[in-house]
Amino acid sequence: MRQELQSLPKGLAEDVSRNLVMVARLIDEDPEGAYAYSRIALRLASRVAAVREAAGFAAYANQKFSEALAEFRAARRMTGSVELWPVMADCERGLGRPEKALEMAGAPEVQKLDKASQVEMRLVAAGARRDMDQLDAAIVTLQSPELASNSVQPWTARLRYAYADALLAAGREGEAREWFAKTVESDKDGSTDASDRLAEMDGVEFVDALVEDDDEAGSEDTAAAGAETDVRAEDEHQDADEDDEEDDEDEIESGSGSADGITDDVDDLGDEGDADKGEDDAPQRPQD
């Protein structure tokens, strides 16, 4: 790519290079952002094969298959290389033309591909068979020396995964589980979800740690709220008891006043009794 950009004026080459770097950086995590940068690079240098190829991959990542295919064809015309043949065939699949993809899989260009690209072409052909509901043919397409090899290559995990997935779709669950397990063994960087598929087949359920933490936090909040309610109720109860004690004291004080009154009445009754007794004890006047 650097050699191709050297044909451009220095300032322009730097601008194009910066945009291509952003395409490569964003294409997996932010395909739309990568696509935007690819369009800028394309406006700046549409006659550079590397730019057309980058624009093709950015469009492909956004499922703009017609646009991607046009860019790949342009890049191939400029370079004469066949390395884009598998992804071009996959664009045909994306456009709903699996028959065209199968036709490309049998073309002489495939023989010119390196091993990795030939495996990629096999994956595309198997996908086309599945698009046409030809599951058995898809399984046979994937059966190859590369699949049977115990050697782990960059393409091994994806090839084994595709084979396991096709077997599962065909209802051959036992074989599918075996190949998902083999995929896990070869997928050191986690490029597939084979481990999840294998766990799903074994009935293993995964709990989201974030959801579990939220539940625990909710339980703690509920417990704290309950404790706060209990404390508030206890305080209210204590206040009520204090009010009752004050009322009792008031009643006692009121009762003390009544007791004094009763004592006075008793004294009054005592005085009246003494008066009556005095009258009885007075000497009586003799009668004539």
Side-chain angles (χ1 to χ4, degrees), residues 32-50:
E32 292 183 0
Y35 179 76
Y37 280 105
S38 75
R39 301 309 296 176
I40 297 173
L42 193 60
R43 287 197 299 270
L44 294 174
S46 62
R47 296 185 179 183
V48 175

Side-chain angles (χ1 to χ4, degrees), residues 186-266:
S186 59
D187 190 9
K188 303 302 182 183
D189 58 354
S191 60
T192 71
D193 64 346
S195 59
D196 292 340
R197 298 289 297 275
L198 186 61
E200 182 180 353
M201 294 186 71
D202 291 341
V204 177
E205 296 183 2
F206 294 97
V207 177
D208 193 332
L210 293 177
V211 173
E212 187 175 353
D213 291 342
D214 290 343
D215 292 340
E216 291 179 358
S219 299
E220 292 176 358
D221 292 341
T222 302
E228 184 178 351
T229 302
D230 292 340
V231 170
R232 188 181 301 113
E234 184 177 352
D235 291 341
E236 292 176 354
H237 182 69
Q238 185 175 357
D239 292 342
D241 290 343
E242 291 177 355
D243 292 341
D244 291 340
E245 290 177 0
E246 292 177 358
D247 292 341
D248 292 340
E249 291 176 357
D250 292 340
E251 289 179 1
I252 290 173
E253 292 176 358
S254 299
S256 298
S258 300
D260 293 340
I262 292 173
T263 303
D264 293 339
D265 292 340
V266 171

Side-chain angles (χ1 to χ4, degrees), residues 77-90:
R77 284 195 302 269
M78 292 177 181
T79 63
S81 173
V82 296
E83 66 176 344
L84 294 174
W85 197 254
V87 70
M88 291 169 63
D90 205 39

Side-chain angles (χ1 to χ4, degrees), residues 130-144:
R130 293 191 62 172
D131 292 342
M132 300 166 67
D133 295 325
Q134 299 175 2
L135 278 175
D136 291 338
I139 292 171
V140 172
T141 299
L142 292 169
Q143 293 171 346
S144 61

Side-chain angles (χ1 to χ4, degrees), residues 95-106:
L95 291 170
R97 300 195 290 255
E99 297 87 352
K100 179 62 177 178
L102 288 175
E103 181 183 333
M104 294 179 68

